[in-house]
Structure formats: structure tokens, C-alpha cells
Amino acid sequence: MGSWAAAVRTRWRLGGCSGRGGLPGVVPRRRGSSRPGGGDRASAATLRDLLQSSVEGEESGEAAVEAEGEAKRERRSPREGTVLLFPGQGSQFVGMGRGLLRYPGVRDMYRLAEKVLGYDLLSLCLEGPRGELDRTRHCQPAVFVASLAAVEKLNHQRPEVVESCVAAAGYSVGEFAALVFAGALDFAEALYAVKVRAEAMQQASEAVPSGMLSVIGRRETNYKLACSEARKHCESLGIENPVCEISNYLFPDSRVIAGHLQALEFLQKNARKYYFTRTSMLPVSGAFHTRLMAPAVEPLAEVLKSIEIQKPLLCVYSNVDGKKYMHSKHVEKLLVKQVVSPVLWEQTMHSVYERKQGTEFPYTYEVGPGKQLGAILKKCNLKAWKQYNHVDALEDEEAAGT
């Protein structure tokens, strides 16, 4: 069985929202472009060699495949096109990836990751310790690689699902994995960008005592008022330019509010006043997707300028506005903006599954650790969720027992 990179050649011809040729991971670098880190250029070349070896010999059949794809586009029902969802930070767990190592290319992905990251990511994922895996600088690359490794598993077990994928979305760092899958980013280069992003976000989070508060509200809940009064409370404590704002839109009546710890403590104490039915502090070190992450913007922007970005080969939806990426500059701009902007996941789900009444919903596959995105999809769109499946990073029998 070839890798998912080989399968995507057929997939995008059979019904994405783009018609540009090419292979994910096998892209020419810009002339004169360079990147910090001595081994990264070699790493990218290694990946291209790995992926190229899986697609050799396919060129002669391209014309026939394209003609067949045009025919299938005409008669395909909505149910035949699949959607892939890529999880984000917080879905990681010790042991993830163990069930993926027997699938073609996965060990090579982890070997390449070790070269790009400078540490043994596979051992950290399999053995922990959990405290280290949960650190932002480690868990973001870990989830990124595990999710794309899960695509290898899906392609091995059900290649037709990968071949017929027409749309993808990723939650926060999961968006990088979605863009690699869609051919917009090279695996090694995207992993390097994730590394820079994760380290910069962790550093920013350590600069200011901050966090994230999960909130379940009601129809009468006024999040804007709650955040405003929490900021005024912080000002009364002498905190200048306090931050307290919605950082994640999950599903109806569910939000994540992020900012200074004093603001979040105020909201918890006054939960009844603001009609919060439940609040819970998230186990993260900072206020992600707020302006407190501003110090992470420039490092990510610099690395994205130095790597090759292409138009996605299928529809990929941005966290920033819930809309499809249109071109390479669009990808570069919004990936940077995403760091300090709220994740509009509820809005993204509406965009992905918007269709005329009576139209069938596509089969959806969450690829990677955890089932959080499936749980959110159930709250956002019950009919779409009924076609939901999960491709776990554990062995199938292990996943069934957890």
C-alpha cells in the first residue's frame, strides 16, 4: 500500500476545490530561501525522497486518472466525498502512536521528526513522562505528527476514504496538519514551523500568569459583558491592559475564555451572575489565541516566509474566519493571525457542512489522538455527526477499551 501522499494525487483530481497538480511533500523550494537550523533543508529533502519513492511509476497513468476524475465529479453524490478533521493541543496522551507504527511510512515520519525537532518525539509520545509531553513545545509537534500518521493508517485500511476527501479542517495546530494533507505545506517544513510556533507560544505563556477557562452558558449568557467586567476587576488590582476574551467558539453555548488568571478567577466566582452553568480551568499554561500570544507572531511569520506554501489541493477551512483558504499568501497570513485570534470552530463546522435541505452529509473522519472534535461536531450538527468516524492513534483493540 502506498502512502497517503500517493493517494492524494488521485484524490484531488477526483473532487477538491482546486485543480493544481503536484504532490504534498514533493514541492520545489524557493530559490535562495533558507531556514534556521542546519539539518532542516536535508530533512525536507529526505521527506521528498521518502514520498517520491511511493509514487514512482504513476506518471504514465495521469491522463487516464484525470479523465476518470472528471467523469466521477459529474456523478458523485455528497455522501461519496469525505471530510477529515485534525485535532489540536490537548488531545495528546502517553502511548499515542503505538498503534500506527506498523503502517507504511510512519516510522520514517518519526525519524524525520527527530531530525527536525532535535529530540526523540516517538519515545516521548510512547513513554512520556506526561508532564513533558503536555508542555506546549512538545505536545503541538506530537499531535501534528500523530495526526498525519493516523492518515497513513486510514489510507492502509480504507484508501477510498483518503482518495475521496474533498475538505479538511484542523483545530489550532491541527490546521498545519490539514494543510500538509492538502498539499499546501511540506511535512518537514510544516513541522519546523510548528516547532517554532510551539516554543514561541510557550515562552509567551510563561511571561504572564494567564490561562483558559472552559464555559458552558445559556441563552441569556452575555459573554461580552462578563469579559468586560472581568477586565475592570483586573484594572482595580493594578493590572495594565488586562486581557479577558473569548478564545475558542466550540459549539452553541460553549466557549473558552482566556486571559489573565485574575480575570478568570473573577469569572469563576461570579459564574451565577453571568449565567454560566459550568466552568472549568483548562490544563494549559497560557491564554492561547489572545493578544497575550503576540510575542509568538513574529517568529512564526519569519519561518513561514522562508518555506514553500502552495494553494491547497482541496478545501481547507481557516480557524480565523471559518472560510476556505484561497491561495498561498492567504495561508501564510492567516496562520500567523491565528495565533492571536479566537478559534472559530463552531463557525467552521457550519461552513464545512452547509448544504441544501435534504442533501446527504459526507462521511467525516477525525484523524489523530482523542475524539474531542467528534464530540463538538455532535453538538454543532447532529445529522453530520451520524456519519462520523474516528481513526485513533492506538491499536484498534486498545482504542475500543479506552
Side-chain angles (χ1 to χ4, degrees):
M1 177 66 65
S3 74
W4 57 270
V8 77
R9 179 189 290 269
T10 302
R11 182 200 67 238
W12 67 262
R13 292 186 188 279
L14 299 187
C17 37
S18 168
R20 178 179 58 77
L23 287 169
V26 190
V27 294
R29 288 186 56 78
R30 294 173 182 158
R31 287 188 179 179
S33 68
S34 61
R35 192 174 44 185
D40 298 322
R41 186 187 296 266
S43 297
T46 301
L47 182 74
R48 283 193 286 271
D49 291 341
L50 291 173
L51 297 186
Q52 188 62 49
S53 66
S54 68
V55 296
E56 288 176 351
E58 293 186 7
E59 296 292 339
S60 60
E62 280 190 5
V65 170
E66 187 165 6
E68 180 186 357
E70 292 296 331
K72 288 188 177 182
R73 246 196 299 268
E74 294 297 323
R75 61 177 182 270
R76 165 176 289 161
S77 75
R79 181 63 57 80
E80 291 176 333
T82 60
V83 174
L84 263 58
L85 303 180
F86 293 81
Q89 181 172 346
S91 61
Q92 73 279 352
F93 58 87
V94 175
M96 69 177 186
R98 184 169 58 244
L100 305 174
L101 297 176
R102 62 191 176 92
Y103 296 100
V106 171
R107 287 189 182 274
D108 290 328
M109 293 171 72
Y110 279 103
R111 289 190 192 101
L112 183 53
E114 184 174 357
K115 294 180 181 180
V116 174
L117 300 172
Y119 59 86
D120 190 344
L121 180 66
L122 180 58
S123 293
L124 182 60
C125 289
L126 296 181
E127 304 167 10
R130 179 175 177 178
E132 282 299 304
L133 179 60
D134 286 347
R135 296 185 70 191
T136 297
R137 68 186 304 265
H138 293 144
C139 70
Q140 290 190 16
V143 170
F144 169 86
V145 176
S147 297
L148 290 170
V151 178
E152 284 278 4
K153 176 180 178 177
L154 178 60
N155 186 55
H156 181 83
Q157 294 182 339
R158 299 196 60 189
E160 72 280 3
V161 171
V162 177
E163 292 166 4
S164 60
C165 182
V166 295
Y171 191 96
S172 191
V173 72
E175 198 163 285
F176 285 80
L179 287 164
V180 170
F181 175 72
L185 299 174
D186 171 90
F187 173 87
E189 294 184 330
L191 178 56
Y192 183 81
V194 168
K195 174 182 183 290
V196 171
R197 177 186 190 268
E199 291 174 350
M201 289 176 71
Q202 179 167 318
Q203 188 173 1
S205 68
E206 292 170 351
V208 178
S210 57
M212 304 180 79
L213 181 71
S214 176
V215 175
I216 302 295
R218 302 203 298 253
R219 283 188 177 180
E220 56 266 49
T221 300
N222 189 329
Y223 294 99
K224 186 175 181 179
L225 175 65
C227 290
S228 175
E229 294 190 353
R231 288 194 295 270
K232 290 179 181 177
H233 169 72
C234 288
E235 290 173 348
S236 72
L237 299 177
I239 299 175
E240 296 183 3
N241 299 316
V243 173
C244 183
E245 58 196 54
I246 296 175
S247 63
N248 295 258
Y249 292 79
L250 301 179
F251 53 85
D253 299 323
S254 178
R255 304 285 185 268
V256 175
I257 298 175
H260 284 82
L261 286 180
Q262 296 89 335
L264 304 183
E265 291 166 357
F266 173 84
L267 292 178
Q268 285 185 297
K269 290 179 181 178
N270 294 276
R272 182 173 295 183
K273 174 183 177 181
Y274 301 116
Y275 301 100
F276 297 161
T277 60
R278 191 172 70 200
T279 63
S280 176
M281 288 295 295
L282 298 181
V284 296
S285 59
F288 301 141
H289 301 289
T290 71
R291 57 185 172 87
L292 287 178
M293 290 294 109
V297 166
E298 186 175 349
L300 178 60
E302 285 300 311
V303 74
L304 289 175
K305 287 178 183 177
S306 73
I307 67 177
E308 184 77 20
I309 301 175
Q310 299 193 40
K311 182 178 179 180
L313 302 174
L314 58 108
C315 302
V316 179
Y317 292 79
S318 168
N319 289 180
V320 173
D321 57 13
K323 298 178 181 178
K324 303 169 189 174
Y325 281 112
M326 303 307 295
H327 50 75
S328 60
K329 285 295 182 182
H330 197 205
V331 172
E332 181 181 336
K333 178 182 177 180
L334 293 190
L335 282 181
V336 173
K337 190 175 181 180
Q338 187 218 63
V339 173
V340 291
S341 300
V343 174
L344 305 185
W345 191 253
E346 180 183 348
Q347 295 86 332
T348 299
M349 291 297 93
H350 291 322
S351 296
V352 171
Y353 297 101
E354 182 181 12
R355 61 204 56 241
K356 294 180 180 178
Q357 188 173 3
T359 305
E360 292 181 323
F361 285 93
Y363 286 101
T364 296
Y365 292 80
E366 181 174 356
V367 283
K371 298 181 180 179
Q372 291 92 331
L373 300 185
I376 295 173
L377 178 59
K378 186 176 182 180
K379 297 286 188 179
C380 289
N381 191 321
L382 182 60
K383 290 183 178 179
W385 173 79
K386 289 180 179 179
Q387 314 304 326
Y388 165 86
N389 299 272
H390 180 232
V391 183
D392 210 321
L394 288 169
E395 294 285 3
D396 296 331
E397 58 270 19
E398 291 178 285
T402 56

